[in-house]
Amino acid sequence: MSHHDFHHLTDGNARIALVDDTASHTYGEVNSRIDRFATGLLGNRSDLEEERIAFFLPASLDYVTCMHGVWRAGGISVPLNVASAVAELDHYLSSAKVTRMFAQAGAPNELRELCASLGIELLTVEEMLAEAPGDLPEIDPGRRAMMLFTSGTTSKPKGTVSTHKTIRAQITTLIDAWCWTEDDVIPLFLPLHHIHGIVNILSCGLWAGATVHLFAGLDIPKVTSQVAAGVYNVFMAVPTVYVKLIQYLETRDEKEVAAVCAGFKAMRLNISGSAACPVKLFEQWRDLTGQVLLERYGMTEIGMGISNPYHGERRAGYVGQPLPGVEVQLFDESHRPVEGEGNPGEIRIKGDNVFLEYWGNEEATRKSFVDGWFCSGDMAVIEDGYYRIMGRTSVDIIKSGGYKLSALEIEGVLLTHEEIAEVAVIGAEDEVWGEAVTAFVVTKSGDELDFAELKSWCNERMSSYKIPKHVKRLDALPRNAMGKVTKPSLKSIPL
Ligand code: MLC
Ligand code: AMP
């Protein structure tokens, strides 16, 4: 991917690229800011040579400037979760060996101290803008472009590295499959440290020449009033957002509900993904708004892999068929391809959309590929030509509100609590979150833990969405003959 690929980002283009709380920004304005930022980043160098540059910024003109500026100058963009606890940032920044970090002016002291202790320069975008754009390097598409942290079956999140070519493939596939055009207008309220927000919404929008409305987070009253005003024609979200929208509309008067539903109905596309969309939710949304949700399946390491059709049947409970350019094959445990309908297997993926590596972790990278196929860890089956996701191969991955969380990472933190002797974390079925982080603990004293106290203890140590929604004390954790906790049996314990 070179910046020439985002061909609407050119000087003088008066189309509106971004709308935020205070202003609209044209493609021309955004482009010249990116060029000035890239020039400033380079200083007297000709290429950043894959320097890791982090940004701790909400959805904003600054965020877009950073992402594209780093790309144009030959660096690796490391967008960080603005809701992270400082302890988590420490891991991201030190494992990625970040050298410079961009945040808003007046960054919290804790962040300043962390950067200082890691020798990272903490800067604002404004102060890095060069007076005028200078020469920028030609970037080979095979070079590293972006690192996103993903939780897995190990206790620490891994940096997933995509190249310019990977990102280009991920974007162009969706531009075609979902018929993006420059007339599209889409709200962006999902976080910008994951591909759902970064690739599917922001990057596709800017690639297509569309207009992206930036929100600092999910502000339902604001989003729905814009929907009612007919501002958007495309809407993408995780299932939890659709659940929350329905719950919100249940509290509003008839007139408002009718206006919001009419706004959704008039859109050309509503998409759900990042977690399973329950059939009940698909049906509720259709009954309420007339929109037939397009569900698709993706992953940080591959972008989008499987999608229901834009034209054609969108089947509830199914994710559709492999996207053009993405090879999908189901495999059994002995790495043999599973052929035919009705036979479950692990989803494995090949294609230009697949990431390059886990940063600095050759072993994890090697283990995640078999014969050139990326092993997703998700089980699926094909029925009547459509893929259905059956679940994951690991019980240690939890999907809560679209966030992928590692049970082991949360257990690791909880085990440092002075009262906790043993702990097992699982994802319990939940109507709003899909899965709710649930901790079973054995306490040293045998006494119950105070939930509110534990929550505030956790708050200092992990992003708030990782904090257990339920904590249940047991006298002992259920274990098999090998002494391993039998997590599936925990799922049936009433909370
Ligand atoms: C927020 N909270 C969550 C949570 N999000 N708890 C569990 N799981 C979550 N996902 C908690 C907060 O900790 C807080 O708790 C309370 O809810 C209110 O927080 P909030 O920030 O105001 O919540 P809200 O804005 O309603 O957030 C809900 C959400 C958000 C669904 C908008 O979770 C979200 O943006 N999820 C999407 C994540 C995403 O983009 N995933 C894609 C990954 S890429 P308290 O107790 O402090 O009040 C991928 C590939 C693919 O998966 O296929 O796309
Ligand atoms: P992440 O690692 O955060 O990118 O999350 C990717 C994971 O989300 C996948 O491996 C799946 O487990 C899950 N996922 C994404 N889309 C869907 C979907 N439509 N249905 C079920 N699971 C999904």
Side-chain angles (χ1 to χ4, degrees), residues 206-222:
L206 294 180
W207 189 286
T211 300
V212 183
H213 284 225
L214 305 173
F215 291 82
L218 178 64
D219 179 342
I220 292 189
K222 199 161 150 200

Side-chain angles (χ1 to χ4, degrees), residues 464-486:
S464 71
Y465 53 79
K466 297 181 186 172
I467 298 175
K469 301 271 186 245
H470 310 282
V471 176
K472 188 157 176 90
R473 191 190 63 78
L474 299 177
D475 290 333
L477 296 179
R479 293 182 187 273
N480 63 16
M482 310 289 289
K484 199 170 161 359
V485 176
T486 50

Side-chain angles (χ1 to χ4, degrees), residues 27 59 153 176 189 198 210 224 258 262 366 449 456 469:
Y27 274 90
T153 47
D176 292 343
F189 43 75
I198 299 172
T224 49
R366 203 176 47 247
L449 288 175
S456 67
K469 301 271 186 245

Side-chain angles (χ1 to χ4, degrees), residues 93 101 109-122:
L93 296 170
M101 156 117 129
N109 267 343
E110 276 180 307
L111 193 60
R112 293 186 176 283
E113 284 162 17
L114 177 65
C115 287
S117 74
L118 295 171
I120 295 169
E121 229 183 318
L122 183 60

